[in-house]
């Protein structure tokens, strides 16, 4: 089983998600943990679309086996993935939805009907600063 997202990293993602009404998005790398934000190029506030060039750049790092997952926020919203999130979630990577109250990990699978379904893996509730394990999250653009 994969290791859970450290609380300090979850807290940092929540901090980022509170910076405005637009969804934030990016990749999470492990060993050591690192957040790499990707520009959201979706035309509206209620969705996210990762910048293609920045995404391709980060996929090159996937070869090193450090890329563990994708994150994006639902500012002021629910921690459940939307239908669009479920349809477009990448295969083979972990998937986190960030809200004001939790960072929630989901996994997806195909149904015999051709539809995908979402399954809750883990939720890291909001932890006030100063509590939890200290982790150097290496957050930054990574570009």
């Amino acid at each position: 089983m994969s290791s859970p997202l450290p609380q300090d990293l979850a807290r940092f993602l929540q901090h980022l998600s509170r910076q405005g009404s637009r969804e934030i998005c990016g990749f999470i790398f492990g060993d050591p943990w690192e957040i790499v934000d990707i520009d959201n190029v979706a035309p509206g506030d209620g969705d996210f679309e990762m910048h293609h060039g920045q995404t391709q750049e980060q996929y090159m790092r996937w070869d090193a086996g450090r890329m563990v997952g994708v994150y994006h926020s639902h500012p002021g919203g629910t921690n459940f993935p939307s239908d669009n999130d479920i349809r477009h979630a990448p295969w083979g990577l972990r998937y986190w939805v960030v809200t004001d109250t939790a960072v929630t990990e989901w996994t997806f699978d195909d149904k015999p009907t051709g539809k995908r379904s979402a399954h809750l893996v883990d939720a890291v509730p909001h932890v006030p600063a100063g509590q939890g394990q200290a982790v150097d999250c290496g957050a930054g653009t990574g570009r």
Side-chain angles (χ1 to χ4, degrees):
M1 176 160 191
S2 53
S3 61
L5 193 65
Q7 286 183 339
D8 283 359
L9 195 64
R11 185 173 29 259
F12 184 75
L13 285 172
Q14 286 177 310
H15 169 75
L16 289 177
S17 74
R18 293 185 188 112
Q19 303 306 307
S21 60
R22 284 192 55 79
E23 293 190 15
I24 61 165
C25 54
F27 294 104
I28 297 176
F29 290 83
D31 196 24
W33 289 99
E34 176 187 6
I35 296 172
V36 177
D37 57 318
I38 301 292
D39 290 339
N40 179 359
V41 296
D45 284 350
D47 203 1
F48 82 100
E49 179 183 341
M50 291 184 169
H51 183 280
H52 181 73
Q54 295 170 5
T55 299
Q56 292 303 322
E57 204 174 293
Q58 295 308 315
Y59 275 138
M60 301 293 266
R61 296 177 64 192
W62 195 352
D63 293 337
R66 288 192 55 235
M67 184 183 285
V68 266
V70 172
Y71 72 88
H72 80 282
S73 66
H74 287 176
T78 176
N79 63 335
F80 290 94
S82 69
D83 290 341
N84 195 43
D85 294 342
I86 295 169
R87 271 192 307 277
H88 298 291
W91 286 105
L93 292 174
R94 295 166 69 180
Y95 194 86
W96 287 274
V97 175
V98 182
T99 66
D100 289 344
T101 58
V103 177
T104 308
E105 183 178 355
W106 296 88
T107 187
F108 305 96
D109 64 15
D110 280 332
K111 295 278 188 191
T113 60
K115 290 191 172 193
R116 291 179 101 182
S117 62
H119 306 279
L120 178 66
V121 175
D122 189 28
V124 179
H126 174 69
V127 179
Q131 296 181 10
Q133 172 186 356
V135 173
D136 178 9
C137 62
T141 62
R143 301 177 231 150

